[in-house]
């Protein structure tokens, strides 16, 4: 009897575990599966109306954005803002690793907490795995509130694949930072060699910072159940510039299709140019088809991404397996040569720019919590186009001939990884 009981119990436990793990590979809702018809261009007022009302939060004016390139510009700006905080700091990031940069950020956050500033830090459980416990203990002892997003417990196995990939820092509810940078030594320097990564981050002032604060609070509330509010977090925000923006967020828990749909809508509306800078580029069939259709409309499409320095071999294999239709249609794929390129940026018709944490892959579209800032400003688009062109000059064109001649071992590996590309 006892043996039978344990057999049944073991079988039930194993079945439950399999079911919970399988839930990580399921999608929370019906995916968008049909193409969006090209009805208007990026410069048509209808495009803004739909981006603001159909897809995202309202577009707000009166903002200013400063583009920061690589750690030499990014980290000093972020640390300076933290050290000047008077009331609140809210900080959400995927990567936070121990090292000199991690220590410098911890020291700055600790100093502000001891000065009476309310400091709230949201770390992804997976992304902060290389962070020494002593670093967190020091922050906690100083009064910094540190939370882990989706830490692993037996009762959270079903959501272990949902990570927060957002990178949001808001100071006093007035100054915000968003982009692709992680808190680790790999991002230090100026992308001068393979040990120092290429990335972009952005400092923002103006009314849109309130949307960035709300983006942080989304996961803070999910994790703690506590609402941070009041003037210290949401002060009255004055005009800081003349740029129109809004912040897109996405999450499997709250509708994961929003970011993917935003990308699709912008690709469909583009009439002249689409420039994509992506650390991880694994589009699904629908996204691939829309890029091909853009080429058929005469749109120049350029994709800039890492290859030999990509930090994930599985992503490299899964990505390259889908390049054929794009290359045949005339999409230009350029691979960045000097180091790992971690930037995430899309420029449409030199009028609209989307920057943030979102990669051009199915994990970002379906599994991660992401945050991307859309900027509707031709001047900013021109400045970011110049950044894109500079990176392009350090890249090589990947041709269809080169793709078709890739080794058979690579083609075989693609057959293995492509079916699970959403998990990579």
């Amino acid at each position: 009897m006892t043996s039978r009981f344990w057999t049944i119990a073991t079988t039930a436990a194993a079945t439950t575990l399999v079911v919970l793990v399988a839930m990580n590979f399921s999608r929370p809702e019906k995916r968008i599966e049909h193409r969006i018809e090209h009805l208007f261009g990026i410069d048509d007022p209808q495009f803004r109306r739909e981006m603001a009302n159909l897809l995202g939060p309202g577009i707000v004016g009166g903002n200013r954005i400063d583009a920061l390139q690589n750690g030499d510009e990014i980290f000093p700006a972020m640390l300076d803002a933290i050290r000047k905080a008077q009331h609140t700091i809210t900080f959400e990031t995927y990567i936070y690793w121990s090292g000199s940069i991690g220590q410098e950020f911890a020291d700055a956050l600790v100093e502000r907490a001891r000065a009476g500033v309310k400091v709230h830090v949201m770390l992804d459980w997976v992304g902060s795995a290389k962070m020494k416990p002593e670093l967190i203990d020091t922050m906690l002892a100083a009064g910094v509130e540190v939370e882990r997003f989706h830490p692993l417990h037996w009762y959270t196995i079903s959501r272990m694949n949902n990570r927060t990939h957002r990178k949001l820092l808001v100071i006093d509810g007035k100054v915000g930072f968003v982009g692709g940078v992680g808190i680790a030594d790999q991002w230090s320097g100026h992308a001068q060699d393979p040990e120092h990564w290429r990335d972009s981050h952005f400092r923002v002032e103006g009314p849109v910072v309130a949307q960035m604060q709300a983006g942080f609070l989304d996961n803070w509330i999910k994790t703690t159940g506590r609402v941070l509010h009041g003037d210290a977090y949401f002060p009255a925000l004055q005009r800081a510039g003349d740029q129109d923006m809004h912040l897109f967020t996405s999450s499997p828990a709250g509708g994961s299709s929003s970011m993917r749909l935003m990308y699709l809508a912008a690709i469909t509306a583009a009439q002249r140019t689409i420039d994509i800078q992506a650390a991880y580029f694994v589009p699904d069939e629908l996204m691939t088809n829309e890029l091909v259709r853009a080429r058929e409309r005469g749109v120049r499409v350029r994709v800039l991404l890492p290859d030999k320095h990509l930090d994930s071999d599985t992503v490299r294999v899964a990505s390259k397996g889908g390049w054929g239709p794009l290359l045949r249609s005339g999409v230009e794929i350029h691979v960045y040569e000097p180091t790992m390129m971690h930037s995430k940026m899309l420029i449409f018709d030199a009028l609209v720019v989307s920057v943030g944490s979102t990669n051009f892959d199915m994990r970002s579209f379906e599994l991660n919590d992401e945050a991307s800032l859309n900027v509707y400003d031709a001047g900013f688009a021109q400045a970011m186009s110049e950044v894109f062109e500079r990176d392009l000059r350090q890249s090589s064109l990947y041709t269809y001939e080169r793709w078709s001649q890739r080794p058979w071992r690579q083609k075989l590996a693609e057959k293995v990884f492509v079916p699970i590309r959403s998990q990579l």
Side-chain angles (χ1 to χ4, degrees):
M1 185 71 175
T2 302
S3 176
R4 183 183 178 189
F5 169 80
W6 284 112
T7 299
I8 294 173
T10 302
T11 302
T15 302
T16 300
L17 180 61
V18 169
V19 170
L20 289 172
V21 172
M23 289 172 66
N24 279 273
F25 290 82
S26 65
R27 298 182 178 94
E29 66 277 313
K30 185 70 173 177
R31 291 178 59 206
I32 301 164
E33 297 176 341
H34 303 284
R35 63 173 298 188
I36 303 173
E37 187 178 356
H38 175 72
L39 299 177
F40 44 79
I42 294 286
D43 56 355
D44 192 309
Q46 184 65 28
F47 176 74
R48 285 203 189 193
R49 281 194 290 271
E50 296 200 2
M51 292 295 271
N53 298 309
L54 173 64
L55 302 181
I59 299 171
V60 292
N63 305 288
R64 172 193 167 118
I65 185 168
D66 295 314
L68 308 168
Q69 306 302 327
N70 301 316
D72 280 353
E73 293 183 5
I74 296 167
F75 291 139
M78 294 176 72
L79 288 165
D80 179 66
I82 289 171
R83 290 165 181 151
K84 290 179 178 177
Q86 298 297 307
H87 306 291
T88 61
I89 298 170
T90 52
F91 184 29
E92 180 173 0
T93 189
Y94 178 67
I95 293 292
Y96 196 133
W97 296 342
S98 291
S100 59
I101 293 298
Q103 186 66 57
E104 196 168 359
F105 270 79
D107 291 345
L109 295 168
V110 163
E111 188 279 326
R112 285 293 79 198
R114 288 175 176 163
V117 175
K118 296 177 180 178
V119 183
H120 314 276
V121 177
M122 172 69 66
L123 304 174
D124 185 77
W125 178 74
V126 171
S128 61
K130 295 181 182 180
M131 187 180 188
K132 292 181 179 178
E134 295 82 4
L135 211 56
I136 294 180
D137 292 342
T138 300
M139 288 194 280
L140 291 172
V144 177
E145 289 191 80
V146 182
E147 297 289 343
R148 285 277 180 65
F149 185 78
H150 287 179
L152 182 62
H153 301 291
W154 68 267
Y155 52 84
T156 62
I157 292 176
S158 64
R159 64 184 187 187
M160 66 181 180
N161 216 5
N162 172 210
R163 314 307 333 157
T164 179
H165 196 243
R166 297 173 184 172
K167 287 99 175 168
L168 293 169
L169 171 64
V170 179
I171 308 298
D172 293 333
K174 297 178 180 179
V175 178
F177 291 83
V178 65
V181 78
I183 308 304
D185 291 347
Q186 281 85 339
W187 278 272
S188 63
H190 51 275
Q192 67 268 33
D193 55 48
E195 283 68 51
H196 299 84
W197 292 2
R198 168 78 183 96
D199 214 334
S200 300
H201 220 67
F202 302 86
R203 184 184 187 276
V204 184
E205 292 181 88
V208 79
V209 175
Q211 294 182 0
M212 299 172 71
Q213 188 75 289
F216 169 85
L217 283 174
D218 175 43
N219 278 339
W220 184 262
I221 293 170
K222 289 177 189 174
T223 303
T224 69
R226 292 185 289 112
V227 179
L228 306 176
H229 67 109
D231 184 68
Y233 298 95
F234 290 97
L237 295 173
Q238 306 301 316
R239 291 182 63 89
D242 299 313
Q243 295 166 322
D244 297 341
M245 308 177 190
H246 59 165
L247 184 82
F248 262 82
T249 59
S250 64
S251 168
S256 62
S257 292
S258 59
M259 198 71 73
R260 185 168 179 263
L261 181 55
M262 183 268 284
Y263 276 29
L264 281 170
I267 290 169
T268 301
Q271 298 183 108
R272 298 189 302 277
T273 59
I274 299 173
D275 287 333
I276 299 171
Q277 199 166 13
Y280 310 108
F281 182 77
V282 192
D284 62 6
E285 185 178 1
L286 179 58
M287 198 72 78
T288 296
N289 289 341
E290 287 303 328
L291 289 171
V292 170
R293 290 189 181 100
R295 282 292 305 129
E296 292 170 350
R297 294 196 305 273
V299 178
R300 185 193 67 190
V301 182
R302 299 184 296 181
V303 182
L304 176 58
L305 41 81
D307 185 22
K308 64 181 179 181
H309 296 297
L310 185 63
D311 64 329
S312 172
D313 291 335
T314 54
V315 171
R316 182 190 299 108
V317 172
S319 173
K320 200 163 289 184
W323 291 3
L326 297 170
L327 292 168
R328 281 195 300 270
S329 73
V331 170
E332 296 178 28
I333 295 180
H334 301 259
V335 293
Y336 191 70
E337 298 290 352
T339 184
M340 168 63 184
M341 191 201 69
H342 198 259
S343 304
K344 303 104 168 49
M345 179 169 67
L346 291 87
I347 310 170
F348 301 99
D349 286 350
L351 293 173
V352 176
V353 182
S354 185
V355 296
S357 66
T358 310
N359 288 305
F360 206 100
D361 64 3
M362 295 167 67
R363 168 163 280 280
S364 279
F365 295 148
E366 298 179 358
L367 297 174
N368 287 346
D369 285 29
E370 302 284 4
S372 287
L373 185 73
N374 284 6
V375 183
Y376 301 83
D377 182 83
F380 181 69
Q382 177 60 37
M384 292 304 95
S385 293
E386 292 172 4
V387 170
F388 186 90
E389 295 292 344
R390 286 201 299 270
D391 286 337
L392 206 64
R393 288 195 289 271
Q394 300 186 72
S395 306
S396 62
L397 183 66
Y398 195 99
T399 64
Y400 179 76
E401 289 71 27
R402 181 179 171 186
W403 179 84
S404 61
Q405 294 170 9
R406 66 201 190 283
W408 69 266
R409 291 184 182 85
Q410 183 174 324
K411 295 178 183 179
L412 181 62
E414 291 165 6
K415 299 293 184 183
V416 175
F417 289 120
V418 166
I420 59 168
R421 61 190 183 275
S422 66
Q423 308 300 312
L424 302 177

